[in-house]
Amino acid sequence: MTLSIDRRKFLHASTALAVGGLFFHGKLIAQGTPAASQAPPNNPPPKPPAVSPEDVQATVGVAHRSIEDLKKLVDATPLLANACWDWGGGDFETPLQAAAHTGGREIALYLLSKGARQDIFAAAMLGQLDFVKAAHAVDPRAHEIPGPHGFTLLHCAKSGAEKSQNVVDWLLASGVPDVTFRPLPYAWPEGATPA
């Protein structure tokens, strides 16, 4: 069966379809139904103001020892879950890293539930061996990178006690030296000397 249509009928039919489609599309938008052509915006929303340095330092400080004080700060300002403090000379530390080197499992789990960015030091303390192995697959010297204050990955794993013994055992079996501290690689400006 062949269908024959002249040019005039084709133009009328296609115009009617186009107008009908626009009408239907407009009706969908008016009803609140998202149309396929409505893509999400490509630009992120505007950022809120910067968190005060005092709040950042306080958050990282209490993450070493007090979940109650930490919750007060992070619940009031959720962005503090990813805060980072420079203790000087590039010794940067997040609340999650503070929990990692002090064995603060409950603190770490709370921070992760609030959107803190997981890192290898917290994973080691929490006994997340697959994470630690994956990081070592990407960089076999990952254990050599000093954490905050120069604490080693093995130290963070040991701070997790029995919950992270699997990570301790794997690191030692992999030949990682049994050391607690590695000096931070401070980069002094040319001509400057450390205080």
Side-chain angles (χ1 to χ4, degrees), residues 19-162:
V19 170
L22 288 174
F23 173 76
F24 182 70
H25 176 78
K27 189 169 181 155
L28 283 177
I29 290 173
Q31 292 174 349
T33 306
S37 64
Q38 286 181 319
N42 288 330
N43 298 326
K47 290 184 180 180
V51 178
S52 78
E54 296 79 18
D55 286 347
V56 171
Q57 185 178 24
T59 302
V60 174
V62 299
H64 287 82
R65 63 190 167 277
S66 173
I67 191 160
E68 292 81 19
D69 292 339
L70 179 69
K71 282 182 175 182
K72 288 176 191 171
L73 291 164
V74 174
D75 287 348
T77 309
L79 296 173
L80 288 169
N82 282 305
C84 187
W85 183 251
D86 182 356
W87 291 105
D91 182 10
F92 293 96
E93 183 177 33
T94 66
L96 186 59
Q97 291 168 340
H101 75 78
T102 59
R105 181 178 184 80
E106 186 180 4
I107 290 172
L109 293 173
Y110 166 75
L111 287 164
L112 290 169
S113 78
K114 294 298 183 180
R117 296 177 195 104
Q118 178 62 290
D119 71 12
I120 192 171
F121 301 103
M125 185 272 295
L126 292 169
Q128 297 172 346
L129 182 58
D130 290 341
F131 189 106
V132 175
K133 283 182 175 181
H136 274 85
V138 172
D139 181 1
R141 299 180 325 154
H143 63 276
E144 294 177 11
I145 300 167
H149 319 312
F151 287 114
T152 63
L153 185 62
L154 183 61
H155 167 78
C156 292
K158 285 182 176 183
S159 74
E162 69 277 350

